[in-house]
Amino acid sequence: MTATLIWILVVLVLIGIYLSWTAGRLDRLHARIDAARAALDAQLLRRASVAQELATSGVLDPAASIVLYEAAHAARQAVEEQREVAESELSQALRAVFAEREQMEAVKEAPGGEEAALELAEAVRRVPMARRFHNDAVRAARALRRHRKVRWFRLAGHAPFPMAFEMDDEPPAALIDRAA
């Protein structure tokens, strides 16, 4: 009788340790998502700021400046529910403005244009990487949260279900060639 109670107690302690370890892992994944989201927000803000700065510099033709400025401004001012759409529209505006290599050459020839083009190219190149890191962390957390043990024992607590950040982040070819 005593041996049976000891074995039951040992099994319960091992189950408790395993559940605690799983909850800790889930907590670390949620912290990783928060850090990745902060990094993604920083890269998106940097891209929008550099695009807005380039649009107001007078280096681009007036039509391209207006298109780029409005898209960058909308991306910076977007509320959370509209952020993915606004960032996708900024990507589309960047592709429209820098669709032709001549536009990039015109930017490079202007005073300060070489630095501005390089800074924009770097910002555009980093956004897909930051988004990929964020979405990978979300995917890992979602996979763990789908396990029965996590749902049955409510190991996620009150943390919201993680959502991926889906946007069009394809950079213009002229800017990618510049960053390489």
Side-chain angles (χ1 to χ4, degrees), residues 107-175:
V107 169
K108 287 186 343 188
E109 291 171 1
E114 181 76 26
E115 294 82 20
L118 185 59
E119 190 175 0
L120 182 61
E122 284 297 313
V124 165
R125 186 181 58 81
R126 290 181 182 177
V127 167
M129 289 188 296
R131 189 176 74 86
R132 200 169 314 125
F133 288 142
H134 175 267
N135 288 349
D136 286 346
V138 166
R139 210 172 352 270
R142 282 181 168 183
L144 185 58
R145 286 182 71 154
R146 285 192 188 106
H147 288 256
R148 280 188 213 127
K149 65 181 177 253
V150 174
R151 289 179 302 177
W152 288 350
F153 293 102
R154 301 179 193 270
L155 298 180
H158 296 287
F161 195 74
M163 300 301 291
F165 194 88
E166 297 300 332
M167 64 172 269
D168 174 8
D169 61 3
E170 183 181 338
L175 284 176

Side-chain angles (χ1 to χ4, degrees), residues 78-136:
V79 294
E80 192 61 35
E81 294 80 29
Q82 298 296 319
R83 184 95 187 265
E84 293 172 351
V85 173
E87 294 295 345
S88 293
E89 288 172 355
L90 177 55
S91 294
Q92 293 166 0
L94 285 167
R95 281 197 306 272
V97 169
F98 295 106
E100 300 171 5
R101 299 206 189 286
E102 292 78 29
Q103 183 74 307
M104 182 54 74
E105 295 302 320
V107 169
K108 287 186 343 188
E109 291 171 1
E114 181 76 26
E115 294 82 20
L118 185 59
E119 190 175 0
L120 182 61
E122 284 297 313
V124 165
R125 186 181 58 81
R126 290 181 182 177
V127 167
M129 289 188 296
R131 189 176 74 86
R132 200 169 314 125
F133 288 142
H134 175 267
N135 288 349
D136 286 346

Side-chain angles (χ1 to χ4, degrees), residues 18-120:
Y18 178 71
L19 290 176
S20 175
W21 176 80
T22 303
R25 181 172 167 224
L26 190 58
D27 186 51
R28 287 188 302 275
L29 282 172
H30 281 276
R32 191 171 121 200
I33 289 171
D34 291 342
R37 181 59 189 241
L40 175 61
D41 286 342
Q43 292 304 322
L44 291 172
L45 181 63
R46 180 174 181 240
R47 179 181 77 151
S49 297
V50 171
Q52 202 170 21
E53 185 178 313
L54 185 62
T56 59
S57 68
V59 174
L60 301 172
D61 63 85
S65 292
I66 290 172
V67 167
L68 193 57
Y69 180 83
E70 287 180 355
H73 181 71
R76 290 183 71 181
Q77 301 298 320
V79 294
E80 192 61 35
E81 294 80 29
Q82 298 296 319
R83 184 95 187 265
E84 293 172 351
V85 173
E87 294 295 345
S88 293
E89 288 172 355
L90 177 55
S91 294
Q92 293 166 0
L94 285 167
R95 281 197 306 272
V97 169
F98 295 106
E100 300 171 5
R101 299 206 189 286
E102 292 78 29
Q103 183 74 307
M104 182 54 74
E105 295 302 320
V107 169
K108 287 186 343 188
E109 291 171 1
E114 181 76 26
E115 294 82 20
L118 185 59
E119 190 175 0
L120 182 61

